């Protein structure tokens, strides 16, 4: 079964306090959903139209698990806390077997 990944690229952070509140709720929600944070706030070299602001990569055992974690009540509460505090490109992608 192919793994699933959350890929978040933050274009802009307008409210760091909302991002902090989100992080306090999102981390346990991700872990409860089976997610493993592979990269967060590490070094980034951007090419072409790339963005270096903040990139987060989270791995799940399956694509379906990644989708379910996003749709979970706990993660939805984290999104409410984040609200409009950031502008990000968030994707759930399927890995290769």
């Amino acid at each position: 079964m192919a793994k699933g990944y959350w890929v978040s690229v933050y274009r802009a952070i307008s409210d760091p306090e909302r991002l902090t509140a989100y992080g306090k709720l999102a981390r346990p929600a991700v872990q409860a959903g089976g997610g493993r944070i592979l990269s967060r706030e590490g070094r980034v070299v951007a090419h072409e139209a790339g963005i270096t602001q903040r990139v987060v990569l989270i791995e799940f055992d399956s694509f379906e698990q990644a989708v379910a974690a996003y749709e979970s009540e706990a993660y939805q509460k984290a999104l409410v806390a984040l609200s409009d505090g950031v502008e990000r490109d968030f994707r759930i992608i399927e890995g290769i077997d």
Side-chain angles (χ1 to χ4, degrees):
M1 178 177 290
K3 293 186 178 187
Y5 297 88
W6 287 8
V7 182
S8 300
V9 178
Y10 289 70
R11 298 179 192 280
I13 299 171
S14 59
D15 191 334
E17 290 179 11
R18 285 188 183 268
L19 181 58
T20 298
Y22 161 82
K24 288 178 182 177
L25 296 170
R27 181 178 288 259
V30 166
Q31 291 172 338
R36 294 171 298 283
I37 299 170
L38 299 181
S39 179
R40 179 178 60 96
E41 297 185 75
R43 296 187 304 168
V44 176
V45 175
H47 295 280
E48 300 173 33
I51 300 195
T52 61
Q53 177 76 327
R54 177 186 172 112
V55 178
V56 179
L57 177 63
I58 301 174
E59 179 182 62
F60 294 84
D61 289 336
S62 71
F63 179 78
E64 291 76 16
Q65 188 180 34
V67 171
Y70 183 86
E71 294 174 349
S72 73
E73 183 178 335
Y75 189 72
Q76 291 303 305
K77 287 181 182 178
L79 287 177
V80 169
L82 183 60
S83 186
D84 61 352
V86 303
E87 178 187 338
R88 67 182 183 165
D89 179 348
F90 182 97
R91 298 165 191 238
I92 300 174
I93 62 170
E94 184 175 39
I96 299 172
D97 285 334

